[in-house]
Amino acid sequence: MFKAKILVIGPCESGKTVLANFLSDAIKTVGGEYSPTQGVRILEFECQCSNGSGKNIGCEVEMWDCGGDSAFESCWPAFLKDSNGVIIVFNPDVPSHLKEVESWYSTFVSSQGIQDSQCMLVAHYKPGYGADNGLPALAPQMNKLNIVHSNLEEDPEKMRQEFRRYLGSVVKSLSESREREEMSIIT
């Protein structure tokens, strides 16, 4: 069984904690009062993911729900250490979030050598707001990212399926990396 460390990052009040709780089955209901994450929360759970060929495989997930406040920037190197994937969450109803997403992508993905297949961009709509599913205007370097529209009130299973598909691509990358390492030892 593979083990994956996934960072959930993004601007303040974008819904990172709600999404992390939902994906890890830490809560059964969506909503509640806003409480900003102080630093990081680590959720550990097992999840079945698709390996792309229709076969489900098990994965141990260590999901790091990272606070969006720049006051925790000094902690970011610790968050990044040994991470295998990044989920960037933003609220498309907040115009400033699009610009912030570029900064999060630059810091946590492109500068760390994480492949785009190991990154998922989630346009997370808060309860009571509609998802128009239109593509937000992203910076050119982010156009290849897998973008998922999330509205946990209307279609929670869609988000869970997208996460499992994304986790499958992270596991595939881990598997390929492991194979390359094994081959370098053999040769």
Side-chain angles (χ1 to χ4, degrees):
M1 183 177 290
F2 282 93
K3 184 170 185 173
K5 177 181 174 182
I6 307 293
L7 305 180
V8 181
I9 61 169
C12 292
E13 295 190 57
S14 57
K16 299 178 297 293
T17 297
V18 170
L19 198 60
N21 285 341
F22 172 76
L23 293 173
S24 67
D25 287 326
I27 58 164
K28 299 297 177 206
T29 59
V30 177
E33 221 165 285
Y34 174 70
S35 177
T37 300
Q38 301 299 310
V40 67
R41 293 173 51 243
I42 301 172
L43 302 146
E44 294 180 296
F45 58 99
E46 289 184 11
C47 184
Q48 293 293 311
C49 61
S50 172
N51 68 354
S53 63
K55 183 180 172 192
N56 284 340
I57 54 175
C59 181
E60 291 179 19
V61 178
E62 191 176 279
M63 184 173 280
W64 289 46
D65 172 18
C66 305
D69 192 325
S70 60
F72 304 113
E73 194 170 340
S74 63
C75 302
W76 292 356
F79 298 172
L80 285 161
K81 184 172 175 22
D82 300 327
S83 61
N84 307 113
V86 175
I87 299 173
I88 303 174
V89 182
F90 71 101
N91 182 344
D93 294 322
V94 179
S96 64
H97 279 196
L98 276 178
K99 193 67 178 162
E100 287 184 59
V101 162
E102 293 175 30
S103 175
W104 288 99
Y105 175 81
S106 173
T107 302
F108 283 83
V109 180
S110 60
S111 69
Q112 299 302 313
I114 292 178
Q115 301 170 25
D116 284 346
S117 64
Q118 294 170 267
C119 182
M120 180 168 67
L121 189 59
V122 178
H124 183 71
Y125 295 86
K126 290 192 175 187
Y129 291 87
D132 64 8
N133 290 334
L135 290 177
L138 299 171
Q141 70 269 24
M142 296 174 63
N143 285 333
K144 293 180 182 177
L145 293 180
N146 178 24
I147 301 174
V148 176
H149 292 267
S150 166
N151 188 326
L152 298 180
E153 276 190 336
E154 292 181 15
D155 194 0
E157 276 314 300
K158 176 186 174 201
M159 186 63 228
R160 196 177 307 278
Q161 290 169 352
E162 291 290 346
F163 173 71
R164 288 181 179 149
R165 188 178 0 248
Y166 159 74
L167 191 57
S169 67
V170 170
V171 167
K172 180 181 178 191
S173 178
L174 287 170
S175 175
E176 290 170 353
S177 177
R178 182 185 288 175
E179 286 175 18
R180 280 192 304 274
E181 189 176 314
E182 288 171 357
M183 289 306 290
S184 71
I185 292 170
I186 293 171
T187 57

